């Protein structure tokens, strides 16, 4: 992982040094056990006595616990190289839950790792707004130690 992150950091640094504004968008919430995959909830056919096993979401804390080690490494490497790190979790999850369905019960995900096209169109508006209006800066301690990516 260290060599992957150092190469990633080097590549971003090269772009930044050419005057490019680099954004690194961290992953959308995804499950470790197909919790976000609607195909896992519905068998090919339901019998009259079966009901779908819809998983409405996972806790935001659980998602962070699983994803944080990798996201932190990526975020630190990107920020050290001068990139702006964006995290879509704040736009996909509420304070407690990363949902898999919306308020109408419609699935948010096409499969376990990709949003449906309609959800991506509706929820991706934050991206353009963020790029146009916000320029987050990395957070550093007084002694020059990087404190980690700023989670949006």
């Amino acid at each position: 992982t260290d060599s992957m992150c150092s190469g990633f950091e080097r590549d971003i640094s090269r772009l930044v040094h050419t005057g490019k504004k680099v954004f690194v968008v961290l992953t959308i919430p995804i499950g470790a056990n197909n919790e976000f995959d609607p195909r896992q909830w519905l068998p090919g056919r339901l019998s009259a006595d079966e009901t779908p096993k819809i998983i409405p979401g996972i806790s935001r804390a659980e998602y962070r616990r699983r994803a944080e080690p990798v996201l932190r490494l990526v975020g630190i490497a990107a920020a050290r190289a001068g990139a702006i790190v964006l995290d879509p979790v704040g736009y996909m999850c509420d304070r407690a839950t990363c949902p898999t369905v919306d308020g109408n019960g419609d699935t948010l995900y096409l499969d376990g790792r990709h949003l449906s096209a309609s959800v991506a169109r509706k929820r991706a508006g934050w991206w353009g707004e963020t790029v146009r209006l916000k320029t987050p800066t990395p957070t550093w301690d007084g002694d020059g130690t990087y404190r980690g990516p700023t989670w949006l």
Side-chain angles (χ1 to χ4, degrees):
T1 307
D2 287 340
S3 64
M4 188 261 325
C5 283
S6 63
F8 178 65
E9 185 174 337
R10 186 178 54 251
D11 292 344
I12 291 171
S13 184
R14 286 181 185 148
L15 290 169
V16 169
H17 283 92
T18 65
K20 304 278 188 217
K21 191 174 200 178
V22 179
F23 292 87
V24 172
V25 181
L26 301 177
T27 187
I28 60 172
I30 56 174
N33 301 305
N34 292 319
E35 302 101 316
F36 288 77
D37 189 349
R39 296 173 303 177
Q40 300 300 314
W41 310 338
L42 301 168
R45 294 183 179 183
L46 286 175
S47 64
D49 60 339
E50 284 184 295
T51 57
K53 295 178 177 96
I54 296 173
I55 301 168
I58 63 171
S59 90
R60 187 172 176 161
E62 173 62 16
Y63 170 70
R64 280 289 188 213
R65 185 191 64 74
R66 291 192 290 202
E68 185 78 20
V70 172
L71 295 181
R72 184 164 183 71
L73 288 174
V74 170
I76 288 170
R80 268 198 312 236
I84 297 164
V85 179
L86 304 174
D87 186 0
V89 168
Y91 300 92
M92 294 299 303
C93 304
D94 61 29
R95 292 183 149 239
T97 306
C98 294
T100 60
V101 294
D102 65 15
N104 297 323
D106 295 325
T107 61
L108 300 178
Y109 289 78
L110 174 67
D111 57 32
R113 304 206 178 279
H114 302 92
L115 296 174
S116 71
S118 62
V119 170
R121 278 190 300 275
K122 288 177 193 168
R123 297 209 177 191
W126 68 271
W127 166 251
E129 180 182 321
T130 300
V131 170
R132 282 190 304 276
L133 302 176
K134 296 180 183 176
T135 305
T137 54
T139 306
W140 302 84
D141 283 336
D143 66 358
T145 305
Y146 183 66
R147 289 190 351 210
T150 302
W151 301 108
L152 298 178

